[in-house]
């Protein structure tokens, strides 16, 4: 066996390795070139499975116009509710006065006492028929009426029977005009609404306040068959988002720590939490340990997430078929070789469940090919030299 034979084998192996490098060598994910080229129209007419958007002034402006999820934006009307009405299940107390003693409601045995001209009727629960009983007035419909309307109805029923009657109605147990508060609050309960009107934060405070950190707390409002969810921070940052509640609303306070996933050529591949102020792309890269000098491609920084089709329509070069599938998968691309990209990274906000991916530099695969060639060829060359020496 001559030295030329093993060298020919090594050369053939070296020539074949670069073409198969992507399939042979381990990697954390696709290369930046693969991600960019995958959205281009293919010769077979296949449609891309995601949209590629450059992080630049135009995309940042579109993202800034996208309003965060808010309760006011979903429910619209943020004015306080109108007057409260009595409902089935409420408990009310009725007090009747007469202008002079000796009438229907005067105390027996002391009919001439000036303090005997009123009578308090014990608490009554409004029945399923929406009525309560008033002595000498019979069953009176109260459900769907305000306190003043019920007072007037009682006076009309007693007119001609009592001496210039007057009535006062108090709701002692309010079931109808309440909001149910559950979840991460100190005391989940039915919270009665005041006549003045109560906002979301008022009701949460009445339930003892939320127990989780502000940046991890979300509130879900269910009204009828509609439900909306928003971070507590949105309500605290803008008082207009702290909307008035309606009778029958359900508030659910949830602790949902926001996280993002880091993959690829960074200092740490992990699921990382946000801080209390939110997180920008610049901070996310720093929290991940930065880009790995010997491995990362500065032109291969991507943020992957789903976006609503209404937003993606504002971006150029998006396949129309993607806009028909509901939430659109989007790969935001940042080229950190450009100095302006550092400022863009500070303006780009990371959202809950985003994926930050940094691809390997193209030279990494070439370096691995060379290293593998040296590893494979070294024994062959050494064997050839030994064989030649022994001849």
């Amino acid at each position: 066996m001559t030295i030329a034979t093993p060298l020919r084998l090594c050369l053939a192996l070296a020539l074949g390795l670069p073409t198969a490098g992507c399939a042979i060598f381990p990697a954390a994910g696709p290369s930046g070139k693969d991600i960019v080229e995958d959205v281009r129209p293919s010769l077979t007419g296949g449609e891309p499975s995601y949209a590629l958007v450059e992080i630049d002034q135009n995309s940042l402006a579109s993202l800034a116009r996208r309003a965060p999820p808010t309760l006011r934006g979903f429910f619209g009307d943020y004015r306080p509710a109108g007057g409260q009405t009595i409902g089935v299940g409420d408990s009310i107390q009725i007090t009747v006065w007469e202008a002079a003693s000796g009438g229907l409601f005067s105390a027996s045995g002391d009919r001439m006492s000036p303090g005997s001209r009123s009578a308090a009727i014990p608490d009554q629960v409004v029945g399923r028929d929406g009525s309560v009983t008033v002595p000498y007035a019979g069953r009176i419909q109260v459900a769907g009426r305000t306190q003043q309307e019920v007072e007037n109805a009682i006076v009309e029923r007693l007119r001609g029977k009592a001496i210039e009657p007057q009535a006062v109605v108090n709701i002692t147990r309010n079931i109808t005009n309440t909001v149910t508060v559950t979840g991460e609050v100190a005391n989940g309960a039915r919270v009665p609404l005041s006549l003045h009107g109560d906002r979301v934060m008022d009701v949460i405070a009445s339930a003892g306040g939320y127990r989780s950190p502000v940046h991890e707390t979300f509130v879900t409002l269910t009204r009828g068959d509609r439900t909306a969810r928003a971070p507590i921070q949105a309500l605290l940052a803008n008082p207009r988002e702290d909307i008035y509640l309606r009778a029958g609303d359900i508030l659910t306070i949830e602790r949902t720590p926001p996280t993002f996933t880091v993959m690829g050529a960074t200092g740490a591949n992990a699921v990382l939490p946000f801080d209390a102020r939110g997180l920008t792309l610049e901070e996310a890269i720093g929290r991940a340990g930065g880009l790995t000098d010997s491995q990362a491609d500065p032109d291969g920084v991507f943020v992957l997430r789903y976006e609503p089709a209404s937003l993606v329509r504002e971006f150029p070069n998006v396949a129309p078929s993607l806009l028909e599938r509901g939430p659109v998968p989007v790969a935001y691309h940042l080229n950190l070789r450009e100095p302006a990209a550092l400022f863009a990274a500070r303006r780009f906000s990371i959202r809950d469940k985003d994926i930050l991916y940094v691809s390997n530099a193209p030279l990494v695969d070439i370096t691995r090919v060379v290293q593998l060639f040296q590893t494979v060829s070294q024994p062959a060359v050494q064997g050839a030299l030994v064989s030649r020496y022994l001849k």
Side-chain angles (χ1 to χ4, degrees):
M1 184 178 184
T2 65
I3 189 172
T5 302
L7 288 179
R8 286 196 193 100
L9 293 175
C10 294
L11 180 60
L13 180 61
L15 293 175
L17 283 174
T19 60
C22 293
I24 293 177
F25 295 110
S31 67
K33 181 180 178 181
D34 291 338
I35 295 176
V36 172
E37 291 185 347
D38 196 48
V39 300
R40 295 175 180 172
S42 64
L43 297 177
T44 59
E47 293 289 345
S49 57
Y50 56 89
L52 180 68
V53 178
E54 295 293 329
I55 299 178
D56 53 22
Q57 296 297 327
N58 294 330
S59 61
L60 289 173
S62 296
L63 289 168
R65 289 192 297 268
R66 181 181 182 268
T70 61
L71 302 180
R72 180 176 181 266
F74 187 80
F75 290 104
D77 187 8
Y78 60 95
R79 296 171 296 175
Q84 295 183 357
T85 59
I86 300 171
V88 174
D90 291 346
S91 295
I92 64 174
Q93 183 185 62
I94 302 172
T95 304
V96 179
W97 278 268
E98 293 185 272
S101 60
L104 293 174
F105 297 96
S106 297
S108 59
D110 193 12
R111 302 175 66 84
M112 300 305 295
S113 171
S116 62
R117 294 175 295 176
S118 67
I121 302 171
D123 285 7
Q124 297 185 69
V125 177
V126 179
R128 292 186 177 276
D129 62 349
S131 302
V132 295
T133 299
V134 178
Y136 307 108
R139 296 289 288 178
I140 294 181
Q141 184 72 24
V142 298
R145 291 181 170 182
T146 64
Q147 292 171 248
Q148 185 176 0
E149 290 172 341
V150 174
E151 291 168 356
N152 294 337
I154 293 173
V155 170
E156 285 299 321
R157 289 285 189 91
L158 294 176
R159 198 179 302 278
K161 301 177 183 178
I163 304 172
E164 298 182 16
Q166 298 293 323
V168 173
V169 175
N170 290 316
I171 302 176
T172 57
R173 185 166 180 263
N174 195 337
I175 297 297
T176 303
N177 299 287
T178 59
V179 172
T180 302
V181 186
T182 63
E184 291 293 324
V185 290
N187 301 298
R190 276 183 170 180
V191 178
L193 295 174
S194 65
L195 292 174
H196 174 72
D198 298 279
R199 298 177 182 269
V200 172
M201 296 304 298
D202 296 330
V203 172
I204 292 176
S206 297
Y210 46 83
R211 298 181 295 185
S212 51
V214 172
H215 68 286
E216 297 181 359
T217 305
F218 289 76
V219 56
T220 300
L221 172 58
T222 301
R223 179 174 295 170
D225 58 352
R226 306 180 68 197
T227 298
R229 186 172 185 264
I232 284 288
Q233 279 185 322
L235 280 67
L236 298 176
N238 186 356
R240 289 170 60 86
E241 304 297 344
D242 188 13
I243 64 172
Y244 285 97
L245 295 175
R246 301 284 190 268
D249 285 351
I250 300 175
L251 279 182
T252 304
I253 312 303
E254 303 170 275
R255 181 181 184 182
T256 308
T259 60
F260 69 102
T261 302
V262 181
M263 301 174 61
T266 64
N269 279 215
V271 178
L272 301 178
F274 282 47
D275 58 22
R277 299 180 298 105
L279 202 67
T280 65
L281 177 53
E282 164 216 3
E283 294 168 326
I285 294 174
R287 182 165 292 188
L291 274 61
T292 306
D293 291 341
S294 61
Q295 184 179 359
D297 180 7
D299 189 19
V301 178
F302 299 89
V303 177
L304 313 178
R305 69 166 64 134
Y306 283 89
E307 296 282 21
S310 58
L311 172 65
V312 180
R313 286 191 180 93
E314 301 182 20
F315 300 139
N317 305 320
V318 176
S321 59
L322 291 175
L323 304 176
E324 301 172 358
R325 306 175 187 174
V328 181
V330 178
Y332 290 98
H333 173 237
L334 185 68
N335 182 6
L336 282 179
R337 294 186 186 277
E338 301 176 358
L342 298 173
F343 296 96
R346 174 163 289 187
R347 295 177 54 193
F348 187 92
S349 296
I350 297 294
R351 298 190 195 139
D352 186 27
K353 301 303 180 288
D354 277 356
I355 298 175
L356 171 59
Y357 176 70
V358 180
S359 64
N360 288 343
L363 187 60
V364 172
D365 289 339
I366 298 176
T367 302
R368 288 175 176 173
V369 170
V370 173
Q371 291 174 345
L372 181 59
F373 171 69
Q374 292 175 343
T375 302
V376 172
S377 62
Q378 187 174 5
V381 172
Q382 291 177 345
L385 291 175
V386 171
S387 175
R388 183 177 181 183
Y389 176 78
L390 294 176
K391 286 182 178 180

